[in-house]
Amino acid sequence: EERGLSNTKFMVMNALEMDFPDNSFDIVWACESGEHMPDKEAYINEMMRVLKPGGKFVMATWCQRDDREVPFDKRDKRDLRFLYEEWTHPYFISIEAYAELVDATKMMGPVKTADWCEPTIASWRHSVWVGVYDPRGWITKPTKYMKCARDGYCLERMHRAFKRGLMEYGMFAATKAKKDE
């Protein structure tokens, strides 16, 4: 309302059980939320359900590398556990696993995937330094600033996980098949 947009409505609901009817939206855009979902399959199914035939699906989410060919070693498992516990992520899955979940709905055309780690990795350290360079936090909100310092450590661990290939920044695009296809 304050921006004069009459076709926009913000709502809070469970992404695994949305209140919308089937085939409600022309576009479903999910940005950095998949990593927080405790049931990745239900999350994907729900997004495909509310997408109209011919509608576009786009998702960006943190993913782990696919460990089916090269299993995780002790260091990988330790680093993933840290990332799960520090930011309360239930678990990550691979880009390939997400694409398989989308395909399994049998509602979508071909899924285009990409790892955008390379173009996004610089943002991890930038996020840390933006907070560190603002010294007002030490004076006005010292406990919040300490949390920022802790988050900085976590962001650095995430940056390193992306840099060494343990984590990937998954991008996905697909179009929902029309009923006659």
Side-chain angles (χ1 to χ4, degrees):
E1 288 178 14
E2 68 186 54
R3 300 232 183 225
L5 301 173
S6 61
N7 65 345
T8 304
K9 184 176 181 181
F10 292 93
M11 302 171 72
V12 176
M13 68 180 65
N14 181 351
L16 304 179
E17 296 177 12
M18 292 187 268
D19 297 333
F20 304 114
D22 294 357
N23 306 315
S24 293
F25 298 100
D26 296 316
I27 299 171
V28 170
W29 163 240
C31 185
E32 295 189 359
S33 51
E35 60 270 19
H36 301 282
M37 298 297 150
D39 185 338
K40 311 301 191 215
E41 182 177 13
Y43 176 61
I44 293 295
N45 289 342
E46 205 48 11
M47 288 189 288
M48 302 309 105
R49 181 187 69 77
V50 300
L51 186 61
K52 289 180 181 176
K56 306 293 183 201
F57 164 70
V58 180
M59 181 172 73
T61 191
W62 302 350
C63 299
Q64 66 187 29
R65 71 169 166 76
D66 191 345
D67 66 330
R68 290 177 280 197
E69 289 186 32
V70 179
F72 295 132
D73 61 23
K74 283 184 180 182
R75 178 183 178 202
D76 295 336
K77 290 175 184 177
R78 180 203 67 204
D79 289 351
L80 286 170
R81 188 173 49 255
F82 174 84
L83 297 172
Y84 298 153
E85 292 170 359
E86 191 61 33
W87 282 329
T88 62
H89 293 106
Y91 62 101
F92 303 116
I93 64 174
S94 66
I95 291 172
E96 295 82 359
Y98 270 115
E100 290 163 7
L101 288 174
V102 173
D103 286 341
T105 68
K106 300 192 184 316
M107 294 184 210
M108 305 299 288
V111 182
K112 295 178 192 168
T113 66
D115 178 3
W116 278 18
C117 182
E118 185 74 26
T120 61
I121 196 164
S123 67
W124 291 102
R125 286 198 173 127
H126 175 75
S127 298
V128 172
W129 290 112
V130 165
V132 171
Y133 283 143
D134 185 356
R136 292 175 292 177
W138 281 113
I139 300 163
T140 59
K141 298 178 181 168
T143 57
K144 298 269 188 218
Y145 197 82
M146 290 307 294
K147 182 187 180 318
C148 182
R150 180 178 173 165
D151 285 348
Y153 174 73
C154 297
L155 285 167
E156 179 60 24
R157 293 277 300 262
M158 180 64 91
H159 173 90
R160 290 178 185 190
F162 275 102
K163 189 167 180 117
R164 71 181 178 90
L166 176 60
M167 295 295 294
E168 300 174 333
Y169 194 90
M171 291 296 299
F172 306 83
T175 301
K176 188 169 184 179
K178 296 191 176 175
K179 295 195 188 248
D180 56 347
E181 293 179 358

